[in-house]
Amino acid sequence: MRITCPNCGERDRREFYYQGDALALGRPADDAGLDDWDDYLHNRDNPAGDTRDLWFHEAGCGAWLVVERNTVTHAVHAATLAEKVKR
């Protein structure tokens, strides 16, 4: 699988570390209830198909990316700097 880093260009996925669902960008407010925090920390979908994931470009520029990809075909549709993604 190849990921195109917005800073470094196309790279092999071994340069990146998968960090989970991009849902992590939607963190609850500090004063949110326990149910909201429990859901955020422990409940994740495991879809077969299109996903939005967080990846860290460890062997490159050190950027956090939101990668849109298909978990069945391994096709990467887009990679965007996480700081530019709307939550």
Coordinates of all heavy atoms in Angstrom, one line a residue:
M1 N 0.9 -1.2 0.0 CA 0.0 0.0 0.0 C 0.9 1.2 0.0 O 1.9 1.3 0.7 CB -0.9 0.0 1.3 CG -1.9 1.1 1.3 SD -3.2 0.9 2.5 CE -2.3 1.4 4.0
R2 N 0.5 2.2 -0.8 CA 1.3 3.5 -0.9 C 0.4 4.6 -0.4 O -0.8 4.7 -0.7 CB 1.7 3.7 -2.3 CG 2.3 2.6 -3.1 CD 3.8 2.4 -2.9 NE 4.5 3.6 -3.3 CZ 5.8 3.7 -3.0 NH1 6.4 2.8 -2.3 NH2 6.5 4.8 -3.4
I3 N 1.0 5.5 0.4 CA 0.3 6.7 0.9 C 1.0 7.9 0.4 O 2.3 8.0 0.5 CB 0.3 6.7 2.4 CG1 -0.5 5.5 3.0 CG2 -0.3 8.0 3.0 CD1 -0.4 5.3 4.5
T4 N 0.3 8.9 -0.1 CA 0.9 10.1 -0.6 C 0.8 11.2 0.5 O -0.2 11.7 0.8 CB 0.2 10.6 -1.9 OG1 0.2 9.6 -2.9 CG2 0.8 11.9 -2.4
C5 N 2.0 11.4 1.1 CA 2.1 12.4 2.1 C 2.0 13.8 1.5 O 2.7 14.0 0.5 CB 3.4 12.2 2.9 SG 3.7 13.5 4.1
P6 N 1.2 14.7 2.0 CA 1.2 16.0 1.4 C 2.5 16.8 1.4 O 2.8 17.6 0.6 CB 0.1 16.8 2.2 CG -0.7 15.7 2.9 CD 0.2 14.6 3.1
N7 N 3.4 16.4 2.4 CA 4.7 17.0 2.5 C 5.8 16.3 1.7 O 6.7 17.0 1.2 CB 5.1 17.1 4.0 CG 4.2 18.0 4.8 OD1 3.6 19.0 4.3 ND2 4.1 17.6 6.0
C8 N 5.8 15.0 1.7 CA 6.9 14.2 1.1 C 6.6 13.5 -0.2 O 7.5 12.9 -0.8 CB 7.3 13.2 2.2 SG 7.7 13.9 3.8
G9 N 5.3 13.4 -0.6 CA 5.0 12.7 -1.8 C 4.7 11.2 -1.5 O 4.5 10.9 -0.3
E10 N 4.6 10.4 -2.5 CA 4.2 9.0 -2.4 C 5.2 8.2 -1.7 O 6.4 8.3 -2.0 CB 3.9 8.4 -3.8 CG 3.3 7.1 -3.7 CD 2.9 6.5 -5.0 OE1 2.1 7.1 -5.7 OE2 3.5 5.5 -5.4
R11 N 4.8 7.5 -0.6 CA 5.7 6.7 0.2 C 5.1 5.3 0.4 O 3.9 5.1 0.4 CB 6.0 7.3 1.5 CG 6.6 8.7 1.4 CD 8.1 8.5 1.0 NE 8.8 9.8 1.1 CZ 9.2 10.6 0.2 NH1 8.8 10.4 -1.1 NH2 9.9 11.7 0.4
D12 N 5.9 4.3 0.8 CA 5.4 3.0 1.2 C 4.8 3.1 2.6 O 5.3 3.9 3.4 CB 6.6 2.0 1.2 CG 6.1 0.6 1.5 OD1 5.8 -0.1 0.5 OD2 6.1 0.2 2.7
R13 N 3.8 2.4 2.8 CA 3.1 2.5 4.1 C 4.0 2.1 5.3 O 3.6 2.4 6.4 CB 1.8 1.6 4.1 CG 2.0 0.2 4.2 CD 1.0 -0.4 5.2 NE 1.4 -1.4 6.0 CZ 2.1 -1.4 7.2 NH1 2.4 -0.2 7.7 NH2 2.3 -2.4 7.9
R14 N 5.1 1.4 5.1 CA 6.0 1.1 6.2 C 6.6 2.3 6.8 O 7.2 2.2 7.9 CB 7.0 0.1 5.7 CG 6.4 -1.3 5.5 CD 7.4 -2.3 4.9 NE 7.7 -1.8 3.5 CZ 8.4 -2.5 2.7 NH1 8.9 -3.7 3.0 NH2 8.6 -2.1 1.5
E15 N 6.6 3.5 6.1 CA 7.1 4.7 6.7 C 6.1 5.3 7.7 O 6.4 6.2 8.4 CB 7.3 5.8 5.6 CG 8.5 5.5 4.8 CD 8.9 6.6 3.9 OE1 8.4 7.8 4.1 OE2 9.7 6.4 3.0
F16 N 4.9 4.8 7.8 CA 3.8 5.4 8.6 C 3.4 4.4 9.7 O 3.5 3.2 9.5 CB 2.6 5.6 7.7 CG 2.8 6.6 6.6 CD1 3.4 6.1 5.4 CD2 2.5 7.9 6.7 CE1 3.6 7.0 4.3 CE2 2.8 8.8 5.6 CZ 3.3 8.3 4.5
Y17 N 2.8 4.9 10.7 CA 2.2 4.1 11.8 C 0.7 4.4 11.9 O 0.3 5.6 12.0 CB 2.9 4.4 13.2 CG 4.2 3.8 13.3 CD1 5.4 4.5 13.1 CD2 4.3 2.4 13.6 CE1 6.6 3.9 13.2 CE2 5.6 1.8 13.7 CZ 6.7 2.6 13.5 OH 7.9 2.0 13.6
Y18 N 0.0 3.4 11.8 CA -1.5 3.5 11.9 C -1.8 3.8 13.4 O -1.4 3.2 14.3 CB -2.1 2.1 11.5 CG -3.6 2.1 11.7 CD1 -4.5 2.7 10.9 CD2 -4.1 1.3 12.8 CE1 -5.9 2.6 11.1 CE2 -5.5 1.2 13.0 CZ -6.3 1.9 12.2 OH -7.7 1.8 12.4
Q19 N -2.7 4.8 13.5 CA -3.1 5.2 14.9 C -4.5 5.1 15.2 O -5.0 5.5 16.3 CB -2.6 6.7 15.1 CG -1.1 6.9 15.0 CD -0.4 6.2 16.1 OE1 -0.7 6.2 17.2 NE2 0.7 5.5 15.7
G20 N -5.3 4.5 14.3 CA -6.7 4.3 14.6 C -7.7 5.2 13.8 O -7.2 6.0 13.0
D21 N -8.9 5.1 14.1 CA -10.0 5.8 13.4 C -9.8 7.3 13.6 O -9.5 7.8 14.7 CB -11.3 5.3 14.0 CG -12.5 5.8 13.2 OD1 -12.5 6.9 12.7 OD2 -13.5 5.0 13.1
A22 N -10.1 8.1 12.6 CA -10.0 9.5 12.7 C -11.1 10.1 13.6 O -11.1 11.3 13.9 CB -10.1 10.2 11.3
L23 N -11.9 9.2 14.1 CA -12.9 9.6 15.1 C -12.2 10.3 16.3 O -12.8 11.1 17.0 CB -13.7 8.4 15.6 CG -14.6 8.5 16.8 CD1 -15.8 9.4 16.4 CD2 -15.0 7.2 17.3
A24 N -11.0 9.9 16.5 CA -10.2 10.5 17.6 C -10.1 12.0 17.5 O -9.9 12.7 18.5 CB -8.8 9.9 17.7
L25 N -10.3 12.6 16.3 CA -10.2 14.0 16.2 C -11.5 14.7 16.8 O -11.4 15.9 17.1 CB -10.2 14.4 14.7 CG -8.9 14.0 14.0 CD1 -9.0 14.3 12.5 CD2 -7.7 14.7 14.5
G26 N -12.5 13.9 17.0 CA -13.8 14.4 17.6 C -13.9 14.2 19.1 O -14.9 13.8 19.6
R27 N -12.8 14.5 19.8 CA -12.7 14.3 21.3 C -13.8 15.0 22.0 O -14.1 16.2 21.7 CB -11.4 14.8 21.7 CG -11.1 14.7 23.2 CD -9.7 15.3 23.5 NE -9.6 15.4 24.9 CZ -8.6 14.8 25.6 NH1 -7.7 14.1 25.0 NH2 -8.5 14.9 26.9
P28 N -14.5 14.4 23.0 CA -15.5 15.1 23.8 C -14.9 16.3 24.6 O -13.7 16.3 24.9 CB -16.0 14.0 24.7 CG -15.6 12.7 24.2 CD -14.3 13.0 23.4
A29 N -15.7 17.2 25.0 CA -15.3 18.3 25.8 C -14.8 17.8 27.2 O -15.3 16.7 27.6 CB -16.4 19.3 26.0
D30 N -13.9 18.5 27.8 CA -13.4 18.1 29.1 C -14.5 17.8 30.1 O -14.4 16.9 31.0 CB -12.4 19.1 29.7 CG -11.1 19.1 28.8 OD1 -10.8 18.2 28.1 OD2 -10.4 20.1 29.0
D31 N -15.6 18.5 30.0 CA -16.7 18.4 31.0 C -17.8 17.5 30.5 O -18.9 17.5 31.1 CB -17.2 19.8 31.4 CG -17.8 20.6 30.2 OD1 -17.6 20.1 29.1 OD2 -18.4 21.6 30.5
A32 N -17.5 16.7 29.5 CA -18.6 15.8 28.9 C -18.8 14.7 30.0 O -18.0 14.4 30.8 CB -18.1 15.2 27.6
G33 N -20.0 14.1 29.8 CA -20.4 13.1 30.8 C -19.6 11.8 30.6 O -18.9 11.6 29.6
L34 N -19.7 10.9 31.6 CA -19.0 9.7 31.6 C -19.4 8.8 30.4 O -18.5 8.1 29.8 CB -19.1 8.9 32.9 CG -18.5 9.6 34.1 CD1 -18.8 8.7 35.4 CD2 -17.0 9.7 33.9
D35 N -20.6 8.8 30.0 CA -21.1 8.0 28.9 C -20.4 8.4 27.6 O -20.0 7.6 26.8 CB -22.6 8.1 28.8 CG -23.3 7.3 29.8 OD1 -22.7 6.4 30.5 OD2 -24.5 7.6 30.0
D36 N -20.3 9.8 27.4 CA -19.6 10.3 26.2 C -18.2 9.8 26.2 O -17.6 9.4 25.1 CB -19.7 11.8 26.2 CG -21.1 12.3 25.9 OD1 -21.9 11.6 25.3 OD2 -21.4 13.4 26.3
W37 N -17.5 9.9 27.3 CA -16.1 9.5 27.4 C -15.9 8.0 27.2 O -15.0 7.6 26.5 CB -15.4 10.0 28.7 CG -15.0 11.4 28.6 CD1 -15.6 12.5 29.1 CD2 -13.8 11.9 27.9 NE1 -14.9 13.6 28.7 CE2 -13.8 13.3 28.0 CE3 -12.8 11.3 27.1 CZ2 -12.8 14.1 27.4 CZ3 -11.8 12.1 26.5 CH2 -11.9 13.5 26.7
D38 N -16.8 7.2 27.8 CA -16.7 5.8 27.6 C -16.9 5.4 26.2 O -16.2 4.6 25.7 CB -17.8 5.1 28.5 CG -17.8 3.6 28.4 OD1 -16.7 3.0 28.7 OD2 -18.8 3.0 28.0
D39 N -17.9 6.0 25.5 CA -18.1 5.7 24.1 C -16.9 6.1 23.3 O -16.5 5.3 22.4 CB -19.4 6.5 23.6 CG -19.8 6.1 22.2 OD1 -19.9 4.8 22.0 OD2 -20.0 7.0 21.4
Y40 N -16.3 7.3 23.5 CA -15.2 7.8 22.8 C -13.9 6.8 22.9 O -13.2 6.5 22.0 CB -14.8 9.2 23.2 CG -13.6 9.7 22.7 CD1 -13.5 10.2 21.4 CD2 -12.4 9.8 23.5 CE1 -12.3 10.7 20.8 CE2 -11.2 10.4 23.0 CZ -11.2 10.8 21.7 OH -10.0 11.3 21.2
L41 N -13.7 6.4 24.2 CA -12.5 5.6 24.4 C -12.6 4.1 24.1 O -11.6 3.5 23.7 CB -12.2 5.7 25.9 CG -11.7 7.1 26.4 CD1 -11.6 7.1 27.9 CD2 -10.4 7.4 25.7
H42 N -13.8 3.5 24.2 CA -14.0 2.1 24.1 C -14.8 1.5 22.9 O -14.6 0.4 22.6 CB -14.6 1.6 25.4 CG -13.8 1.9 26.6 ND1 -12.5 1.4 26.9 CD2 -14.0 2.8 27.6 CE1 -12.0 1.9 28.0 NE2 -12.9 2.8 28.4
N43 N -15.6 2.3 22.3 CA -16.5 1.8 21.3 C -16.0 2.2 19.9 O -16.0 3.4 19.6 CB -17.9 2.2 21.5 CG -18.5 1.7 22.9 OD1 -18.2 0.6 23.2 ND2 -19.2 2.5 23.6
R44 N -15.6 1.3 19.1 CA -15.2 1.6 17.7 C -15.8 0.6 16.8 O -16.1 -0.5 17.0 CB -13.6 1.4 17.6 CG -12.8 2.2 18.5 CD -12.7 3.6 17.9 NE -11.7 4.4 18.6 CZ -12.0 5.3 19.5 NH1 -13.3 5.5 19.9 NH2 -11.1 6.0 20.1
D45 N -16.1 1.2 15.6 CA -16.6 0.4 14.5 C -15.4 -0.3 13.9 O -14.2 0.1 13.9 CB -17.3 1.2 13.4 CG -18.6 1.8 13.9 OD1 -19.2 1.2 14.8 OD2 -19.0 2.9 13.4
N46 N -15.6 -1.4 13.2 CA -14.6 -2.1 12.5 C -15.1 -2.4 11.1 O -15.4 -3.6 10.7 CB -14.2 -3.4 13.2 CG -13.0 -4.1 12.6 OD1 -12.3 -3.5 11.8 ND2 -12.8 -5.4 12.9
P47 N -15.3 -1.4 10.2 CA -15.9 -1.6 9.0 C -15.1 -2.2 7.9 O -13.8 -2.1 7.9 CB -16.2 -0.1 8.5 CG -15.1 0.7 9.1 CD -14.8 0.0 10.5
A48 N -15.7 -2.9 7.0 CA -15.1 -3.5 5.8 C -15.5 -2.5 4.7 O -16.6 -2.4 4.4 CB -15.6 -4.9 5.5
G49 N -14.5 -1.7 4.2 CA -14.8 -0.8 3.2 C -14.1 0.6 3.5 O -13.0 0.6 4.0
D50 N -14.8 1.7 3.1 CA -14.1 3.0 3.3 C -14.0 3.4 4.7 O -15.0 3.3 5.5 CB -14.9 4.0 2.4 CG -14.8 3.7 0.9 OD1 -13.8 3.1 0.5 OD2 -15.7 4.1 0.2
T51 N -12.8 4.0 5.1 CA -12.6 4.5 6.4 C -11.8 5.8 6.3 O -11.2 6.1 5.3 CB -11.8 3.5 7.2 OG1 -10.5 3.3 6.6 CG2 -12.5 2.1 7.4
R52 N -11.8 6.5 7.5 CA -10.9 7.6 7.7 C -10.1 7.3 8.9 O -10.6 7.2 10.0 CB -11.7 8.9 7.9 CG -12.5 9.4 6.7 CD -13.3 10.6 7.0 NE -12.4 11.7 7.4 CZ -12.6 12.6 8.3 NH1 -13.7 12.5 9.1 NH2 -11.8 13.6 8.6
D53 N -8.7 7.2 8.7 CA -7.8 6.8 9.8 C -6.8 7.9 10.0 O -6.4 8.6 9.1 CB -7.1 5.5 9.4 CG -8.1 4.4 9.0 OD1 -9.1 4.2 9.7 OD2 -7.8 3.7 8.0
L54 N -6.2 7.8 11.2 CA -5.1 8.7 11.6 C -3.8 7.8 11.3 O -3.7 6.7 11.8 CB -5.1 9.1 13.0 CG -6.1 10.2 13.4 CD1 -6.1 10.4 14.9 CD2 -5.6 11.5 12.7
W55 N -2.9 8.4 10.6 CA -1.5 7.8 10.4 C -0.5 8.8 10.8 O -0.6 10.0 10.5 CB -1.4 7.4 8.9 CG -2.2 6.3 8.5 CD1 -3.6 6.3 8.3 CD2 -1.8 4.9 8.2 NE1 -4.0 5.1 7.9 CE2 -3.0 4.2 7.9 CE3 -0.6 4.3 8.3 CZ2 -2.9 2.9 7.5 CZ3 -0.5 3.0 7.9 CH2 -1.7 2.3 7.5
F56 N 0.6 8.4 11.3 CA 1.8 9.2 11.7 C 2.9 8.9 10.7 O 3.3 7.7 10.6 CB 2.2 9.0 13.1 CG 3.3 9.8 13.6 CD1 3.2 11.2 13.7 CD2 4.5 9.3 14.0 CE1 4.2 12.0 14.1 CE2 5.6 10.0 14.4 CZ 5.4 11.4 14.4
H57 N 3.5 9.9 10.1 CA 4.6 9.7 9.2 C 5.9 9.7 9.9 O 6.7 10.6 9.9 CB 4.6 10.8 8.1 CG 5.4 10.4 6.9 ND1 5.6 11.2 5.8 CD2 6.2 9.3 6.6 CE1 6.4 10.7 4.9 NE2 6.8 9.5 5.4
E58 N 6.2 8.6 10.6 CA 7.3 8.4 11.5 C 8.7 8.5 10.7 O 9.6 9.2 11.2 CB 7.2 7.1 12.1 CG 8.4 6.6 12.9 CD 8.7 7.4 14.2 OE1 7.9 7.5 15.1 OE2 9.7 7.9 14.3
A59 N 8.8 7.9 9.6 CA 10.1 7.8 8.9 C 10.2 9.0 7.9 O 11.2 9.0 7.2 CB 10.2 6.5 8.1
G60 N 9.3 9.9 8.0 CA 9.4 11.1 7.0 C 9.4 12.4 7.8 O 10.2 12.7 8.7
C61 N 8.4 13.2 7.5 CA 8.3 14.6 8.0 C 7.7 14.7 9.4 O 7.6 15.7 10.0 CB 7.4 15.4 7.1 SG 5.7 14.8 6.9
G62 N 7.2 13.6 10.0 CA 6.6 13.6 11.3 C 5.2 14.2 11.4 O 4.7 14.5 12.4
A63 N 4.5 14.2 10.2 CA 3.2 14.8 10.1 C 2.1 13.8 10.5 O 2.3 12.6 10.3 CB 2.9 15.3 8.7
W64 N 1.0 14.3 11.1 CA -0.2 13.4 11.3 C -1.1 13.6 10.1 O -1.3 14.7 9.7 CB -0.9 13.9 12.6 CG -0.3 13.5 13.9 CD1 0.6 14.2 14.6 CD2 -0.4 12.3 14.5 NE1 1.0 13.5 15.7 CE2 0.4 12.3 15.7 CE3 -1.2 11.1 14.3 CZ2 0.5 11.3 16.6 CZ3 -1.1 10.1 15.2 CH2 -0.3 10.2 16.3
L65 N -1.6 12.5 9.6 CA -2.4 12.5 8.4 C -3.7 11.8 8.7 O -3.8 10.9 9.4 CB -1.7 11.8 7.2 CG -0.3 12.2 6.8 CD1 0.2 11.2 5.7 CD2 -0.3 13.6 6.4
V66 N -4.8 12.3 8.0 CA -6.0 11.6 7.9 C -6.0 10.9 6.5 O -6.0 11.6 5.5 CB -7.2 12.5 8.1 CG1 -8.5 11.8 7.8 CG2 -7.2 13.1 9.5
V67 N -6.0 9.6 6.5 CA -6.0 8.9 5.3 C -7.3 8.2 5.0 O -7.9 7.5 5.9 CB -4.9 7.8 5.4 CG1 -4.9 6.9 4.1 CG2 -3.5 8.4 5.6
E68 N -7.9 8.5 3.9 CA -9.2 7.9 3.5 C -8.8 6.7 2.6 O -8.1 6.9 1.6 CB -10.0 8.9 2.7 CG -10.4 10.1 3.6 CD -11.2 11.2 2.8 OE1 -11.9 10.8 1.9 OE2 -10.9 12.3 3.1
R69 N -9.2 5.5 3.0 CA -8.8 4.3 2.3 C -9.9 3.3 2.4 O -10.9 3.4 3.2 CB -7.5 3.8 2.9 CG -7.7 3.2 4.3 CD -6.3 2.8 4.9 NE -6.5 2.3 6.2 CZ -6.5 1.0 6.5 NH1 -6.3 0.1 5.5 NH2 -6.7 0.6 7.7
N70 N -9.8 2.2 1.6 CA -10.7 1.1 1.6 C -10.0 -0.1 2.3 O -8.9 -0.5 1.8 CB -11.1 0.8 0.2 CG -12.2 -0.3 0.2 OD1 -12.0 -1.4 0.6 ND2 -13.4 0.1 -0.2
T71 N -10.5 -0.6 3.3 CA -9.9 -1.7 4.1 C -10.0 -3.0 3.3 O -9.2 -4.0 3.7 CB -10.5 -1.9 5.5 OG1 -11.9 -2.2 5.3 CG2 -10.3 -0.6 6.3
V72 N -10.8 -3.1 2.3 CA -10.9 -4.4 1.6 C -9.9 -4.4 0.4 O -9.2 -5.4 0.2 CB -12.4 -4.6 1.0 CG1 -12.5 -5.8 0.2 CG2 -13.4 -4.7 2.2
T73 N -9.9 -3.3 -0.3 CA -9.0 -3.3 -1.5 C -7.6 -2.6 -1.2 O -6.8 -2.7 -2.1 CB -9.7 -2.4 -2.6 OG1 -9.8 -1.1 -2.2 CG2 -11.1 -3.0 -3.0
H74 N -7.5 -2.0 -0.1 CA -6.3 -1.3 0.3 C -6.0 0.0 -0.6 O -4.9 0.5 -0.6 CB -5.1 -2.2 0.3 CG -5.2 -3.3 1.3 ND1 -5.2 -3.1 2.6 CD2 -5.3 -4.6 1.1 CE1 -5.4 -4.2 3.2 NE2 -5.5 -5.2 2.3
A75 N -7.0 0.4 -1.4 CA -6.9 1.6 -2.2 C -6.9 2.8 -1.3 O -7.8 2.9 -0.4 CB -8.0 1.7 -3.2
V76 N -6.0 3.7 -1.5 CA -5.9 5.0 -0.7 C -6.5 6.0 -1.6 O -6.1 6.3 -2.7 CB -4.5 5.3 -0.4 CG1 -4.4 6.7 0.3 CG2 -3.9 4.2 0.6
H77 N -7.6 6.7 -1.1 CA -8.3 7.7 -1.9 C -7.8 9.1 -1.7 O -7.8 9.9 -2.6 CB -9.8 7.7 -1.5 CG -10.4 6.3 -1.7 ND1 -10.5 5.6 -2.9 CD2 -11.0 5.5 -0.8 CE1 -11.0 4.4 -2.7 NE2 -11.3 4.3 -1.4
A78 N -7.3 9.4 -0.4 CA -6.8 10.7 -0.1 C -6.0 10.7 1.2 O -6.2 9.8 2.0 CB -8.0 11.7 0.1
A79 N -5.1 11.6 1.3 CA -4.3 11.8 2.5 C -4.2 13.3 2.8 O -3.7 14.0 1.9 CB -2.9 11.1 2.4
T80 N -4.6 13.7 3.9 CA -4.7 15.2 4.2 C -4.0 15.4 5.6 O -4.1 14.6 6.5 CB -6.2 15.6 4.3 OG1 -6.9 15.2 3.2 CG2 -6.3 17.1 4.5
L81 N -3.3 16.5 5.7 CA -2.7 16.8 7.0 C -3.9 17.0 8.0 O -4.9 17.6 7.8 CB -2.0 18.1 6.9 CG -0.7 18.1 6.1 CD1 -0.1 19.5 5.9 CD2 0.4 17.2 6.7
A82 N -3.7 16.3 9.2 CA -4.8 16.3 10.2 C -5.1 17.7 10.6 O -6.3 17.9 10.9 CB -4.3 15.4 11.4
E83 N -4.2 18.6 10.7 CA -4.5 19.9 11.1 C -5.4 20.7 10.2 O -6.0 21.7 10.6 CB -3.2 20.7 11.3 CG -2.4 20.9 10.0 CD -1.0 21.5 10.2 OE1 -0.4 21.3 11.3 OE2 -0.5 22.0 9.3
K84 N -5.5 20.2 9.0 CA -6.4 20.9 8.0 C -7.8 20.2 7.9 O -8.6 20.6 7.1 CB -5.7 20.9 6.6 CG -4.4 21.7 6.7 CD -3.8 21.9 5.3 CE -2.6 22.7 5.5 NZ -2.4 23.7 4.6
V85 N -8.0 19.1 8.6 CA -9.3 18.4 8.5 C -10.3 19.0 9.5 O -9.9 19.2 10.7 CB -9.1 16.9 8.8 CG1 -10.4 16.1 8.9 CG2 -8.1 16.3 7.8
K86 N -11.5 19.2 9.0 CA -12.5 19.7 9.9 C -13.0 18.6 10.8 O -13.2 17.5 10.3 CB -13.7 20.3 9.1 CG -13.3 21.5 8.3 CD -14.4 22.2 7.7 CE -13.9 23.4 6.9 NZ -14.9 24.2 6.4
R87 N -13.2 18.9 12.0 CA -13.6 17.9 13.0 C -15.1 17.7 12.9 O -16.0 17.5 12.9 CB -13.2 18.2 14.4 CG -11.6 18.2 14.4 CD -11.1 18.8 15.7 NE -9.7 18.5 15.8 CZ -8.7 19.3 15.3 NH1 -9.0 20.4 14.7 NH2 -7.5 18.9 15.5

